[in-house]
Amino acid sequence: MRLIGPGLAAAALLTGTSSFAPAPAASPPAAPLAAEVTSDLPRTAAPSHYAIEIEPDADKLTFAGRSSVDLQVFAATAELVLHANDLKIAEATLTPAGGGAPIALTIALEADKQLARFAAAQPIAPGAYRLVTRYSGTINTQANGLFALDYADTATGEPRRGLFTQFEAPDARRFAPMFDEPSYKATFDLSAIVPAEQMAVSNMPVAREEALSGGRKKVTFATSPKMSSYLLFFGLGDFERIAKATPAGVEVGVVVPRGKTAQGQLALDAMHKLVPYFTDYFAQPYPLPKLDEVTGPGQSQFFGAMENWGAIFTFERILLVDPALTSDGTRKGIWATVAHETAHQWFGNLVTMAWWDDLWLNEGFASWIETKATDHFNPTWHALLDRVGGREAAMGQDAFVTTHPVIQRIRTVEETNQAFDAITYSKGEAVIAMLEAYAGADTWREGLRSYMAERKYGNAATEDLWRAVEAAGATGLVNGGQLGYFRTLYPQASLGALTKSFARLAPIDRLGLMRDNLALSRAGYQPMAGTLDMLAAVPGEGDPTVARAAIDEWGKLYGGLGDDAKAKAQVAALASKRFGPRLRALGFEPRAGETLPEAQLRADLIASLGAMGDAAVAAEARRKFAALAADPRALDGPLKTTWLRIVAANATRPEWDRLAALADASQGVVEKSTYFGLLASARDAALAQAALDMALTDRAPVTARAAMIGGVAGQHGDLAFPFAMANRAKIAELVDDSSQATYFARLAAAANKPETLAALEAFAASLPADQRKPVDRTLGQVRRRLAEQAGVNAGLKAWLKGR
C-alpha cells in the first residue's frame, strides 16, 4: 500500500502544512533551484573541480592562496559570480578548457553579500573553463573559516598554536572563492606550504610531500570525492596520530596535540566499530581511504564537532579522555559524538541536502542513528531512554510561536546559522523514530538503503526520502515506547491509576509519563498535585536513568522556589529521604564493575543533593576540597568536577580565590577551562560579578571567556545580560560570528527583572530581521517561565502542606 504516514501525514508534521512545501531541486545546479530559494548566485555556472593551494602565516594570522576552479558555463554571461568573504583577491584569469587565450577579468567584491564578481569585457560563452585566482585571507581567532587555537604544550608548557577550519554553514568562502552552497558539489585538490616539522591534515591522505627552503614543505593531499564545499577541511599543528584499519581496509585515526595519544583511544575504538556498522546498515561502503577525528583545544559557543568528510573536527573537551577529569557522562557523550559525526559520513556527506531548508536530513538522521548505534554497542547504557530527554527539549521550543517546522524556510546566512537547534536535531530524531516504528525497522532500513544508492555523491530533498521509504513498503501506526511526538493529557482518575502502577511500567514509559505530566502541569493544563504524586512515586532504588530524571526534576522545583526557605527545606528533605539511601548504597567513590547508568546516577545524586544543601554531601565536598591544599591532584577522577561544582556554588571569597589559583596553575587545556568555568557558578552575586570582570581580562583562556559569562548568566541573568550589553563590542570578539545573536539572547534566559527584559527587547530592536529569532525565542521563554512559576510554586506548596 502507499505509505500515507511518511508521505502526506509526515509532511504536515515536518512542514506545518497539509502538503509538501516546495523543495529545492536535487538535480545538478545546471538547472535552477526552486523559485523560493533565495541565492545570490546566478544559475549560470557550476564547478566540477577545485585545486587550492594555501600558505598560512600562523604568527601573523594571515594566509596566501591560489585557487583553480574547473567550471561549466551553461548560458552566455557577462560575469562569473562566486562567494568570497574577507578575502583580498589580487588577480583572476579565465581560460577556456580546450585551449585559447586567457580572458582578462575585472574583480569586484560585495562584502555585504559575501560575493566576488569576475566580469569580462565580452560575454562569456557557454562551455568549460578554468578560473584561477590569487588572493589572501585572515586566520580568525574564533571558529569561522580558517582559525587558530592557542594552547600550552603538554610536556613543556610552551605556547603552541594549531590551525583548523570550520566551514559549515557558509564559511568555505573565507578560505577560497567558491560556489559555497550545498548543491554545488565538486572534487577538491588541496595543497599547503607549511613548517616542515608540523603535521598537516585534510579530508584525504597525503599524496606527497616536497621539501622547500626555509624549513618549509609542500604537502599535497589526494583528490577528494565529489562533495559540498562546507565539508572541506584543513588542519595544521604539532600533532600526533593513532590509527588502525577496519576489516574492509579503511584506516580510522585520531589526530591530537602531541602527548595526548592515549586520551584518544576511546574515540578510536568507537570509530573502528562504527564504520563497519554504518557500512552494513546503509549498504554503502565508506568511500574514502581514511577517516580521522581531528581534535583541537578550546571551545566554541556555536558547535562542538563538525563532520568534515574524512576529517571530523571535535574540540578535545568532548573527544579525549583525561583520567584526572573526564566523567562517566562525558565518556558516554564521547561515544555518542563519534557516532553522530561518523553517521554524517553517509547521511550528510555521501548524500547532502540540496538546500539548508532540509538541514534536518543531516542532523535529525545523524541524531537518530547515533542513538541507535550507541545502544547497539553499549546496551547497558540504555541510550534509547535519552530520546525522551531530547524530545522534551524539542517540545519545549515547539511550545512558542517562534518555533519552526522541521523543514524550514532558509533565506539568509544568519537564518542558516540559526537552523542548528533542538527542532532540527531532537524533533527530527523523534519524528524519525516514530516513522521507523510506523514503517517497521526492516522496511525503514530498506528505504534508506535505496535512498543512499540512488542519491550518493548527490543532493536530495525530503520528498526523495519519502519516495524511497514508500517504495520499500510499510504497514501499521503504533505508538509504543514513547515514540509519538505528542503529549497525552489523562483524566485525573486515570493519572492516579497510572501512579499506583508506576513501578510496574517500563522505564521508558515511566520517564515519558513523568516528563509529559510535569510539562502539562507547568503549562496549566492540569493541577500540580497529581503530577507531584507521580514524581514522588519514582522509587529511589529503581532504574538509574529514571531516578536521574526524577532527582533532576526535584532540583528544578527546589530552584524555582526562589527565596522561600521553608518550602525549599521541605523539598530538600523529601529528596534526601527518597534518594539519600540510594546514594549511600552507591557510595561517594566509583566502584569496579558498576554500570555506566549507575555511575551517572551517583554523579547526579551528588550534584542535585549537594545543590539542595544535603548535609552529608556538603560535608564531603568541603573535605575533598580541603585535601587539594596538600595535593592538587587529590580529587582527580570522574567525579572531580561534580565535587568542585558544589564547592564553587557555595564558595566564600577565600574558597573562590583558591579555585582561581588552581585555574591559574593548571596546565591542561580542558582542566584550566573547567576551573575558570567553575568560578562562574558561584551563587554569591559579588563573586559572580568578579567572574564577569575576570572574563574580560587575559587571565582566562580566550575560548573560555565567553563561556564564563554564560556560566554566570545561568544563575544571575539580571547581572550577566546588562554586563554583556555594556561590554558588547568586547564580548563579540569572543564569540563566533555565526552565533552572536543566540549567545547574547541566552544570557538573559534566567532573568527575572522587567528592566532586563526591556534591555533584551532593545537588543532585539538593534538587530536585522533575520537575526531576531533567537532573541524573540528567549523573550517568550522568560515570559512564560515567569508566568508559570507562581502557579507551579502555589501547587507545590499546597501539595507539601498536604503531606
Side-chain angles (χ1 to χ4, degrees):
M1 65 181 286
R2 189 174 185 276
L3 183 60
I4 299 300
L8 297 180
L13 184 59
L14 296 170
T15 67
T17 67
S18 60
S19 60
F20 282 112
S27 54
L33 294 180
E36 86 284 358
V37 171
T38 301
S39 170
D40 290 317
L41 298 183
R43 302 293 161 176
T44 54
S48 59
H49 180 72
Y50 294 88
I52 300 171
E53 179 183 299
I54 67 162
E55 183 170 7
D57 188 329
D59 292 334
K60 295 182 180 179
L61 293 176
T62 60
F63 69 95
R66 182 183 185 276
S67 172
S68 173
V69 187
D70 294 339
L71 53 86
Q72 185 76 26
V73 175
F74 303 116
T77 179
E79 63 180 3
L80 295 174
V81 183
L82 280 71
H83 289 110
N85 188 13
D86 204 20
L87 297 179
K88 297 178 181 178
I89 304 175
E91 64 180 51
T93 58
L94 186 68
T95 305
I103 301 170
L105 299 173
T106 300
I107 305 164
L109 299 177
E110 294 186 42
D112 58 332
K113 293 186 177 181
Q114 302 181 2
L115 295 177
R117 298 182 180 274
F118 302 95
Q122 301 296 325
I124 302 170
Y129 295 87
R130 175 168 291 172
L131 173 65
V132 177
T133 57
R134 281 198 315 105
Y135 59 94
S136 60
T138 300
I139 299 175
N140 297 292
T141 55
Q142 297 298 324
N144 303 102
L146 179 61
F147 66 97
L149 292 173
D150 294 339
Y151 61 100
D153 183 88
T154 303
T156 67
E158 295 179 357
R160 293 284 184 266
R161 173 167 287 174
L163 301 183
F164 310 90
T165 57
Q166 169 61 21
F167 292 158
E168 190 180 38
D171 277 328
R173 63 193 68 177
R174 295 176 184 265
F175 194 66
M178 292 194 195
F179 295 82
D180 194 18
E181 293 176 359
S183 63
Y184 286 103
K185 288 196 168 187
T187 54
F188 288 81
D189 282 331
L190 179 63
S191 60
I193 298 173
V194 300
E197 73 280 4
Q198 294 190 350
M199 179 188 292
V201 187
S202 187
N203 309 77
M204 298 294 287
V206 173
R208 61 186 179 275
E209 290 191 359
E210 175 187 355
L212 302 176
S213 61
R216 303 174 303 157
K217 64 182 177 182
K218 181 177 180 180
V219 180
T220 301
F221 299 95
T223 304
S224 79
K226 188 178 178 184
M227 65 184 190
S228 300
S229 54
Y230 76 89
L231 297 172
L232 184 64
F233 178 79
F234 173 72
L236 175 69
D238 185 22
F239 301 150
E240 292 182 291
R241 181 174 185 261
I242 53 174
K244 58 183 176 180
T246 69
V250 176
E251 187 175 88
V252 294
V254 177
V255 178
V256 298
R258 185 172 299 280
K260 295 188 176 181
T261 53
Q263 297 184 18
Q265 193 62 49
L266 176 60
L268 181 65
D269 292 342
M271 272 199 300
H272 191 257
K273 295 176 180 178
L274 287 162
V275 170
Y277 174 82
F278 290 133
T279 295
D280 174 70
Y281 188 88
F282 293 121
Q284 291 292 330
Y286 177 73
L288 281 69
K290 64 96 174 175
L291 174 59
D292 282 328
E293 276 273 9
V294 183
T295 185
Q299 56 192 301
S300 164
Q301 300 303 307
F302 178 55
F303 77 108
M306 174 62 206
E307 66 268 18
N308 315 296
W309 213 357
I312 299 166
F313 173 82
T314 307
F315 286 103
E316 66 176 71
R317 66 189 179 90
I318 55 174
L319 187 77
L320 302 186
V321 175
D322 182 350
L325 194 66
T326 302
S327 69
D328 295 287
T330 300
R331 289 174 185 267
K332 181 180 178 181
I334 290 170
W335 227 102
T337 298
V338 174
H340 184 101
E341 304 305 328
T342 303
H344 270 312
Q345 307 303 300
W346 285 263
F347 237 111
N349 298 4
L350 184 63
V351 182
T352 311
M353 76 265 143
W355 187 248
W356 299 106
D357 290 26
D358 280 310
L359 178 64
W360 87 288
L361 285 176
N362 283 20
E363 301 301 347
F365 272 86
S367 299
W368 164 74
I369 203 163
E370 156 206 327
T371 305
K372 180 184 283 287
T374 301
D375 184 67
H376 173 81
F377 287 107
N378 307 282
T380 63
W381 294 3
H382 305 298
L384 296 179
L385 296 180
D386 294 338
R387 282 183 174 161
V388 176
R391 186 191 68 179
E392 288 301 305
M395 283 187 166
Q397 184 173 328
D398 242 353
F400 298 95
V401 295
T402 53
T403 190
H404 60 81
V406 173
I407 303 171
Q408 55 186 311
R409 295 174 65 86
I410 301 294
R411 297 297 171 266
T412 68
V413 167
E414 187 61 34
E415 288 177 351
T416 303
N417 292 329
Q418 293 172 14
F420 295 82
D421 62 7
I423 300 295
T424 297
Y425 285 75
S426 297
K427 183 176 180 179
E429 177 179 7
V431 170
I432 293 162
M434 182 172 68
L435 296 178
E436 181 191 25
Y438 176 94
D442 292 340
T443 299
W444 182 254
R445 182 180 61 184
E446 288 307 309
L448 294 185
R449 286 177 169 180
S450 297
Y451 169 83
M452 285 283 174
E454 180 182 350
R455 296 286 169 176
K456 60 184 177 182
Y457 301 108
N459 297 92
T462 301
E463 284 181 308
D464 302 313
L465 177 61
W466 295 160
R467 292 191 189 101
V469 176
E470 287 176 344
T475 58
L477 179 45
V478 294
N479 186 31
Q482 298 297 308
L483 293 171
Y485 189 79
F486 53 82
R487 300 197 191 281
T488 303
L489 180 62
Y490 291 95
Q492 289 298 292
S494 299
L495 186 62
L498 285 169
T499 298
K500 290 179 181 178
S501 61
F502 196 72
R504 298 194 298 272
L505 298 175
I508 196 168
D509 289 321
R510 276 181 266 163
L511 198 58
L513 279 168
M514 181 176 63
R515 290 282 177 77
D516 268 357
N517 284 283
L518 280 161
L520 290 167
S521 291
R522 286 187 174 113
Y525 284 95
Q526 63 184 14
M528 284 293 296
T531 295
L532 291 170
D533 286 340
M534 177 172 283
L535 183 59
V538 177
E541 70 279 4
D543 179 88
T545 304
V546 179
R548 286 177 60 213
I551 191 62
D552 179 66
E553 294 297 344
W554 285 119
K556 291 177 184 176
L557 291 167
Y558 176 91
L561 287 167
D563 297 328
D564 191 329
K566 179 181 177 181
K568 292 178 81 169
Q570 289 177 284
V571 172
L574 187 154
S576 292
K577 181 178 180 181
R578 175 57 53 91
F579 294 101
R582 183 68 177 271
L583 179 56
R584 289 192 291 274
L586 289 168
F588 283 148
E589 302 297 336
R591 295 179 177 177
E594 67 186 0
T595 66
L596 186 139
E598 289 173 329
Q600 287 186 281
L601 177 59
R602 174 190 293 107
D604 284 7
L605 290 177
I606 291 171
S608 295
L609 294 178
M612 287 186 264
D614 181 273
V617 174
E620 182 67 8
R622 294 197 179 278
R623 186 189 70 79
K624 289 180 178 295
F625 183 63
L628 292 177
D631 179 7
R633 313 274 16 139
L635 261 178
D636 284 5
L639 293 170
K640 181 175 185 174
T641 304
T642 302
W643 288 114
L644 288 177
R645 187 169 286 116
I646 296 171
V647 173
N650 302 290
T652 62
R653 183 68 201 220
E655 289 169 334
W656 193 87
D657 288 339
R658 175 61 181 152
L659 283 170
L662 289 169
D664 291 335
S666 176
Q667 294 297 314
V669 173
V670 176
E671 184 181 64
K672 181 179 283 289
S673 295
T674 299
Y675 272 122
F676 278 107
L678 290 168
L679 294 173
S681 64
R683 292 194 182 114
D684 181 86
L687 296 179
Q689 183 62 57
L692 292 174
D693 295 337
M694 184 183 290
L696 294 186
T697 70
D698 293 334
R699 190 168 178 180
V702 172
T703 62
R705 296 171 195 170
M708 287 183 70
I709 299 169
V712 171
Q715 297 189 73
H716 304 277
D718 293 310
L719 185 65
F721 186 74
F723 176 86
M725 291 296 96
N727 297 278
R728 184 172 170 183
K730 292 180 180 179
I731 296 173
E733 295 177 358
L734 305 175
V735 182
D736 307 346
D737 289 348
S738 50
S739 61
Q740 290 197 5
T742 300
Y743 173 80
F744 282 111
R746 286 175 179 169
L747 297 181
N752 294 300
K753 296 180 179 179
E755 53 266 38
T756 306
L757 292 184
L760 185 59
E761 290 171 339
F763 173 64
S766 73
L767 299 174
D770 64 347
Q771 296 183 28
R772 286 197 54 160
K773 181 182 286 187
V775 187
D776 291 339
R777 182 185 303 141
T778 299
L779 281 166
Q781 290 170 341
V782 173
R783 287 172 179 146
R784 189 182 76 169
R785 172 174 56 80
L786 295 176
E788 291 178 355
Q789 194 63 55
V792 170
N793 287 352
L796 173 59
K797 291 175 187 178
W799 182 82
L800 289 169
K801 185 177 181 180
R803 292 175 67 88

